[in-house]
Amino acid sequence: MDKNALQQSILLALRAPQISSNSQFDTSTGFSCGRRVGCDFYWLGGLFDLPDPLPGTAYLSKFPGMSEAAHKVEFTRLMNRMKHLFPSEYSFYPKSWILPDQYSELVGHVGKHKGKVYIIKPDLGSQGDGIYLMTNPYDVHFSPLLAKPCIVQEYISNPLLLEKFKFDLRIYVLVKCLDPLEIYVCREGMGRFCTEVYRPPSQKNLHRCYMHLTNYSLNKYSSSYVQSDDDDKGSKRKLSCVFKQLQSNGCNIETLWTDIDFIICRTIIAFMPNLLIEDQIVTLDLKQKLRCFQVLGFDILIDEDFKPILLEVNSSPSLKIDHEEETSPGKVEYFLSTTDMEIKLPIIVDAMRLVHQYKASLNGGLVKLTKHVQNLFPRAEGASPSSPQTFGCLHQIYPKLSKHTDYLRILERFLKLFRHFVGVRPSSRMGPTSFRIMARRCKLTDFGFTLAALDILYINMSRRYSDTDSGRASLDFNGFYESLLAIGQRRLAPQGREPISVLRYVLRHCEMHLEKPAKRCRPQAFARSPRSPLLSIRRQLSSSFMLVSSPEHSKDIITL
């Protein structure tokens, strides 16, 4: 099967709504095979859903845990955690709060910064559903939205405009594998435009979603929406065309791409602890290592200073290549969108060819391809067996940028510590016994805590990061991280240490003690205490006489 056959197979799947959410592809035939067993690719829907039977050596188009990590609340928690440790490196994500947990912090911030506008996003919302703008946090306090988790972000009120319209960029990213981490970005993406001329937010226009929200799913219902396949027209345009317009306005596109590449790498690094935990759980539960890859959609806004700002990450970006039109009153028909097809089809084709041609072994590294697979996916003559830096429309950004970003992966070292004491079991939470063992083994009492105080800290953190599925106290990785940070700050915060410095100190302390062999507890606890004369006499007498049990010899037993 050549590239054209694969492209036709994917094109059929993308245009067939009944199989577009969960499709399988057989590289021996080149056609979408529905739910047939023995395919090479399983294209999953919105959530990670294992096929039945298990796919064996086939590829799944999602990583376990990625959909949950991209939910707005969890995503904000991950980004805020990294921003707390590396403020300058993660300044690309707007200041955000999780409600209802951080409502008091939001009120305090609004009190100090009068006149700012905020945007509300429900946790599980999609396609612009439930999003609105506000200036007064008390509007949220009495809102029914607080019945469910949501986030509040500072609204970017100075976006870069094209033709007086606000727009954002949809950047497509391929995570080829997690171990080792490989990330590719597609240099062709999409520019999504609002359908009303932009005005700075005010009480009079906060409700105008066609002015402030760039979501295609919203703007396509606007009477001003323009469907066009021309390069410089339409409410949805190719990224390359948008960048040409930006370049003519004085934007340095090379610098902009560099900034976007760093945003993508740093964001995936923030995801890594969650993804590695879920991957381990699935592997232990299934007793099988899965081959996964995933295409993500990064929504990036550019401000008037040409600075890219990350709005959110979509774990299931829309891959539709058609658009709907009302041909007559009450009748809607679907037509192929040339713009969507030219953007999305190469991404899927090149992603599948890349992961199949340069497949990672289940134990890490690359496997040698069979002659059959080499014929299906021919490699250029003289090409290296390692993953290429450029493959079709995909360009590698990690590990290419690893020397500039690997210092951010400190939480993965904490994950190894977490795994060490959780043990080899399919669980993402640490129980109280494991926490006590860690406290003793890593000498956490050196930070000014007694064992009883550490037990109290564990209880408080387990309540904050409670597991709703079970009533037992346990810590997830977020609670584990917060616990060790609190332990380190007890001793080092008064010295003016930054959080990242505290975290590194605690980590080195724990790793140093784990490298030492564990000491066995002595059965005689009194061996360390000063000896008393009576104790010495007792030992001598007990070693001089044998303990007998017969009644007639009981008189020979000496009792002290």
PDB file of all heavy atoms in Angstrom, residues 159-177:
ATOM      1  N   PRO A 159      -5.761  41.458  21.863  1.00  0.00           N
ATOM      2  CA  PRO A 159      -5.317  40.483  20.860  1.00  0.00           C
ATOM      3  C   PRO A 159      -4.871  41.169  19.579  1.00  0.00           C
ATOM      4  O   PRO A 159      -5.281  42.289  19.265  1.00  0.00           O
ATOM      5  CB  PRO A 159      -6.580  39.644  20.625  1.00  0.00           C
ATOM      6  CG  PRO A 159      -7.704  40.608  20.859  1.00  0.00           C
ATOM      7  CD  PRO A 159      -7.222  41.504  21.981  1.00  0.00           C
ATOM      8  N   LEU A 160      -4.025  40.469  18.839  1.00  0.00           N
ATOM      9  CA  LEU A 160      -3.652  40.943  17.513  1.00  0.00           C
ATOM     10  C   LEU A 160      -4.853  40.776  16.580  1.00  0.00           C
ATOM     11  O   LEU A 160      -5.541  39.743  16.620  1.00  0.00           O
ATOM     12  CB  LEU A 160      -2.459  40.144  16.990  1.00  0.00           C
ATOM     13  CG  LEU A 160      -1.902  40.566  15.625  1.00  0.00           C
ATOM     14  CD1 LEU A 160      -1.296  41.962  15.700  1.00  0.00           C
ATOM     15  CD2 LEU A 160      -0.859  39.557  15.146  1.00  0.00           C
ATOM     16  N   LEU A 161      -5.115  41.758  15.773  1.00  0.00           N
ATOM     17  CA  LEU A 161      -6.275  41.738  14.876  1.00  0.00           C
ATOM     18  C   LEU A 161      -5.819  41.654  13.418  1.00  0.00           C
ATOM     19  O   LEU A 161      -4.771  42.176  13.049  1.00  0.00           O
ATOM     20  CB  LEU A 161      -7.130  43.004  15.061  1.00  0.00           C
ATOM     21  CG  LEU A 161      -7.632  43.315  16.465  1.00  0.00           C
ATOM     22  CD1 LEU A 161      -8.462  44.589  16.460  1.00  0.00           C
ATOM     23  CD2 LEU A 161      -8.439  42.156  17.043  1.00  0.00           C
ATOM     24  N   LEU A 162      -6.605  40.954  12.622  1.00  0.00           N
ATOM     25  CA  LEU A 162      -6.446  40.944  11.179  1.00  0.00           C
ATOM     26  C   LEU A 162      -7.756  41.395  10.561  1.00  0.00           C
ATOM     27  O   LEU A 162      -8.817  40.804  10.856  1.00  0.00           O
ATOM     28  CB  LEU A 162      -6.069  39.551  10.671  1.00  0.00           C
ATOM     29  CG  LEU A 162      -4.592  39.152  10.735  1.00  0.00           C
ATOM     30  CD1 LEU A 162      -4.382  37.738  10.189  1.00  0.00           C
ATOM     31  CD2 LEU A 162      -3.722  40.143   9.978  1.00  0.00           C
ATOM     32  N   GLU A 163      -7.674  42.420   9.757  1.00  0.00           N
ATOM     33  CA  GLU A 163      -8.874  42.967   9.118  1.00  0.00           C
ATOM     34  C   GLU A 163      -9.924  43.356  10.170  1.00  0.00           C
ATOM     35  O   GLU A 163     -11.125  43.192   9.970  1.00  0.00           O
ATOM     36  CB  GLU A 163      -9.457  41.962   8.121  1.00  0.00           C
ATOM     37  CG  GLU A 163      -8.471  41.559   7.031  1.00  0.00           C
ATOM     38  CD  GLU A 163      -8.917  40.338   6.260  1.00  0.00           C
ATOM     39  OE1 GLU A 163     -10.078  39.917   6.437  1.00  0.00           O
ATOM     40  OE2 GLU A 163      -8.107  39.809   5.483  1.00  0.00           O
ATOM     41  N   LYS A 164      -9.429  43.802  11.339  1.00  0.00           N
ATOM     42  CA  LYS A 164     -10.243  44.273  12.464  1.00  0.00           C
ATOM     43  C   LYS A 164     -10.970  43.144  13.202  1.00  0.00           C
ATOM     44  O   LYS A 164     -11.799  43.411  14.070  1.00  0.00           O
ATOM     45  CB  LYS A 164     -11.269  45.313  12.006  1.00  0.00           C
ATOM     46  CG  LYS A 164     -10.647  46.570  11.392  1.00  0.00           C
ATOM     47  CD  LYS A 164     -11.720  47.568  11.015  1.00  0.00           C
ATOM     48  CE  LYS A 164     -11.103  48.817  10.402  1.00  0.00           C
ATOM     49  NZ  LYS A 164     -12.146  49.810  10.031  1.00  0.00           N
ATOM     50  N   PHE A 165     -10.639  41.878  12.892  1.00  0.00           N
ATOM     51  CA  PHE A 165     -11.274  40.744  13.545  1.00  0.00           C
ATOM     52  C   PHE A 165     -10.281  40.041  14.473  1.00  0.00           C
ATOM     53  O   PHE A 165      -9.089  39.935  14.168  1.00  0.00           O
ATOM     54  CB  PHE A 165     -11.789  39.732  12.516  1.00  0.00           C
ATOM     55  CG  PHE A 165     -12.941  40.234  11.689  1.00  0.00           C
ATOM     56  CD1 PHE A 165     -12.731  40.749  10.411  1.00  0.00           C
ATOM     57  CD2 PHE A 165     -14.233  40.199  12.189  1.00  0.00           C
ATOM     58  CE1 PHE A 165     -13.787  41.223   9.650  1.00  0.00           C
ATOM     59  CE2 PHE A 165     -15.302  40.665  11.435  1.00  0.00           C
ATOM     60  CZ  PHE A 165     -15.078  41.175  10.163  1.00  0.00           C
ATOM     61  N   LYS A 166     -10.796  39.567  15.595  1.00  0.00           N
ATOM     62  CA  LYS A 166     -10.004  38.728  16.492  1.00  0.00           C
ATOM     63  C   LYS A 166      -9.894  37.328  15.893  1.00  0.00           C
ATOM     64  O   LYS A 166     -10.832  36.838  15.251  1.00  0.00           O
ATOM     65  CB  LYS A 166     -10.672  38.673  17.873  1.00  0.00           C
ATOM     66  CG  LYS A 166      -9.959  37.796  18.886  1.00  0.00           C
ATOM     67  CD  LYS A 166     -10.716  37.773  20.208  1.00  0.00           C
ATOM     68  CE  LYS A 166     -10.053  36.807  21.187  1.00  0.00           C
ATOM     69  NZ  LYS A 166     -10.760  36.751  22.480  1.00  0.00           N
ATOM     70  N   PHE A 167      -8.762  36.668  16.118  1.00  0.00           N
ATOM     71  CA  PHE A 167      -8.555  35.313  15.592  1.00  0.00           C
ATOM     72  C   PHE A 167      -7.626  34.553  16.525  1.00  0.00           C
ATOM     73  O   PHE A 167      -6.930  35.146  17.360  1.00  0.00           O
ATOM     74  CB  PHE A 167      -7.962  35.369  14.171  1.00  0.00           C
ATOM     75  CG  PHE A 167      -6.537  35.855  14.127  1.00  0.00           C
ATOM     76  CD1 PHE A 167      -5.474  34.964  14.082  1.00  0.00           C
ATOM     77  CD2 PHE A 167      -6.253  37.224  14.152  1.00  0.00           C
ATOM     78  CE1 PHE A 167      -4.169  35.409  14.049  1.00  0.00           C
ATOM     79  CE2 PHE A 167      -4.951  37.682  14.116  1.00  0.00           C
ATOM     80  CZ  PHE A 167      -3.901  36.774  14.061  1.00  0.00           C
ATOM     81  N   ASP A 168      -7.623  33.248  16.392  1.00  0.00           N
ATOM     82  CA  ASP A 168      -6.634  32.412  17.077  1.00  0.00           C
ATOM     83  C   ASP A 168      -6.134  31.354  16.113  1.00  0.00           C
ATOM     84  O   ASP A 168      -6.626  31.239  14.981  1.00  0.00           O
ATOM     85  CB  ASP A 168      -7.195  31.799  18.364  1.00  0.00           C
ATOM     86  CG  ASP A 168      -8.209  30.689  18.111  1.00  0.00           C
ATOM     87  OD1 ASP A 168      -8.564  30.461  16.932  1.00  0.00           O
ATOM     88  OD2 ASP A 168      -8.664  30.057  19.066  1.00  0.00           O
ATOM     89  N   LEU A 169      -5.130  30.591  16.537  1.00  0.00           N
ATOM     90  CA  LEU A 169      -4.480  29.584  15.705  1.00  0.00           C
ATOM     91  C   LEU A 169      -4.730  28.200  16.264  1.00  0.00           C
ATOM     92  O   LEU A 169      -4.599  27.973  17.469  1.00  0.00           O
ATOM     93  CB  LEU A 169      -2.970  29.844  15.633  1.00  0.00           C
ATOM     94  CG  LEU A 169      -2.523  31.260  15.262  1.00  0.00           C
ATOM     95  CD1 LEU A 169      -1.005  31.357  15.318  1.00  0.00           C
ATOM     96  CD2 LEU A 169      -3.037  31.650  13.891  1.00  0.00           C
ATOM     97  N   ARG A 170      -5.109  27.272  15.413  1.00  0.00           N
ATOM     98  CA  ARG A 170      -5.176  25.865  15.795  1.00  0.00           C
ATOM     99  C   ARG A 170      -3.927  25.175  15.256  1.00  0.00           C
ATOM    100  O   ARG A 170      -3.756  25.023  14.054  1.00  0.00           O
ATOM    101  CB  ARG A 170      -6.451  25.235  15.231  1.00  0.00           C
ATOM    102  CG  ARG A 170      -6.490  23.709  15.288  1.00  0.00           C
ATOM    103  CD  ARG A 170      -6.414  23.152  16.704  1.00  0.00           C
ATOM    104  NE  ARG A 170      -7.500  23.581  17.563  1.00  0.00           N
ATOM    105  CZ  ARG A 170      -8.691  22.981  17.624  1.00  0.00           C
ATOM    106  NH1 ARG A 170      -8.938  21.940  16.854  1.00  0.00           N
ATOM    107  NH2 ARG A 170      -9.611  23.424  18.467  1.00  0.00           N
ATOM    108  N   ILE A 171      -3.044  24.800  16.196  1.00  0.00           N
ATOM    109  CA  ILE A 171      -1.788  24.130  15.854  1.00  0.00           C
ATOM    110  C   ILE A 171      -1.950  22.644  16.142  1.00  0.00           C
ATOM    111  O   ILE A 171      -2.330  22.255  17.256  1.00  0.00           O
ATOM    112  CB  ILE A 171      -0.606  24.704  16.657  1.00  0.00           C
ATOM    113  CG1 ILE A 171      -0.550  26.235  16.536  1.00  0.00           C
ATOM    114  CG2 ILE A 171       0.707  24.078  16.208  1.00  0.00           C
ATOM    115  CD1 ILE A 171      -0.265  26.744  15.157  1.00  0.00           C
ATOM    116  N   TYR A 172      -1.640  21.803  15.157  1.00  0.00           N
ATOM    117  CA  TYR A 172      -1.778  20.356  15.314  1.00  0.00           C
ATOM    118  C   TYR A 172      -0.433  19.759  15.730  1.00  0.00           C
ATOM    119  O   TYR A 172       0.606  20.025  15.103  1.00  0.00           O
ATOM    120  CB  TYR A 172      -2.274  19.721  14.025  1.00  0.00           C
ATOM    121  CG  TYR A 172      -3.693  20.137  13.675  1.00  0.00           C
ATOM    122  CD1 TYR A 172      -3.922  21.208  12.810  1.00  0.00           C
ATOM    123  CD2 TYR A 172      -4.787  19.491  14.244  1.00  0.00           C
ATOM    124  CE1 TYR A 172      -5.213  21.607  12.505  1.00  0.00           C
ATOM    125  CE2 TYR A 172      -6.077  19.892  13.943  1.00  0.00           C
ATOM    126  CZ  TYR A 172      -6.284  20.946  13.077  1.00  0.00           C
ATOM    127  OH  TYR A 172      -7.564  21.355  12.781  1.00  0.00           O
ATOM    128  N   VAL A 173      -0.477  18.937  16.784  1.00  0.00           N
ATOM    129  CA  VAL A 173       0.727  18.371  17.382  1.00  0.00           C
ATOM    130  C   VAL A 173       0.570  16.858  17.456  1.00  0.00           C
ATOM    131  O   VAL A 173      -0.490  16.350  17.852  1.00  0.00           O
ATOM    132  CB  VAL A 173       0.964  18.950  18.793  1.00  0.00           C
ATOM    133  CG1 VAL A 173       2.152  18.276  19.466  1.00  0.00           C
ATOM    134  CG2 VAL A 173       1.170  20.457  18.722  1.00  0.00           C
ATOM    135  N   LEU A 174       1.614  16.145  17.075  1.00  0.00           N
ATOM    136  CA  LEU A 174       1.643  14.686  17.192  1.00  0.00           C
ATOM    137  C   LEU A 174       2.578  14.294  18.327  1.00  0.00           C
ATOM    138  O   LEU A 174       3.761  14.638  18.314  1.00  0.00           O
ATOM    139  CB  LEU A 174       2.128  14.050  15.887  1.00  0.00           C
ATOM    140  CG  LEU A 174       2.457  12.551  15.965  1.00  0.00           C
ATOM    141  CD1 LEU A 174       1.191  11.729  16.209  1.00  0.00           C
ATOM    142  CD2 LEU A 174       3.183  12.072  14.719  1.00  0.00           C
ATOM    143  N   VAL A 175       2.035  13.590  19.322  1.00  0.00           N
ATOM    144  CA  VAL A 175       2.863  12.954  20.352  1.00  0.00           C
ATOM    145  C   VAL A 175       3.073  11.525  19.885  1.00  0.00           C
ATOM    146  O   VAL A 175       2.167  10.687  19.958  1.00  0.00           O
ATOM    147  CB  VAL A 175       2.195  12.993  21.731  1.00  0.00           C
ATOM    148  CG1 VAL A 175       3.113  12.360  22.783  1.00  0.00           C
ATOM    149  CG2 VAL A 175       1.868  14.429  22.123  1.00  0.00           C
ATOM    150  N   LYS A 176       4.248  11.243  19.372  1.00  0.00           N
ATOM    151  CA  LYS A 176       4.516   9.938  18.765  1.00  0.00           C
ATOM    152  C   LYS A 176       4.635   8.840  19.806  1.00  0.00           C
ATOM    153  O   LYS A 176       4.100   7.737  19.642  1.00  0.00           O
ATOM    154  CB  LYS A 176       5.791  10.012  17.924  1.00  0.00           C
ATOM    155  CG  LYS A 176       6.174   8.717  17.232  1.00  0.00           C
ATOM    156  CD  LYS A 176       7.400   8.920  16.369  1.00  0.00           C
ATOM    157  CE  LYS A 176       7.843   7.595  15.752  1.00  0.00           C
ATOM    158  NZ  LYS A 176       8.430   6.695  16.757  1.00  0.00           N
ATOM    159  N   CYS A 177       5.330   9.110  20.900  1.00  0.00           N
ATOM    160  CA  CYS A 177       5.445   8.138  21.993  1.00  0.00           C
ATOM    161  C   CYS A 177       5.874   8.881  23.253  1.00  0.00           C
ATOM    162  O   CYS A 177       6.360  10.015  23.185  1.00  0.00           O
ATOM    163  CB  CYS A 177       6.422   7.013  21.656  1.00  0.00           C
ATOM    164  SG  CYS A 177       8.084   7.562  21.237  1.00  0.00           S
TER     165      CYS A 177
END
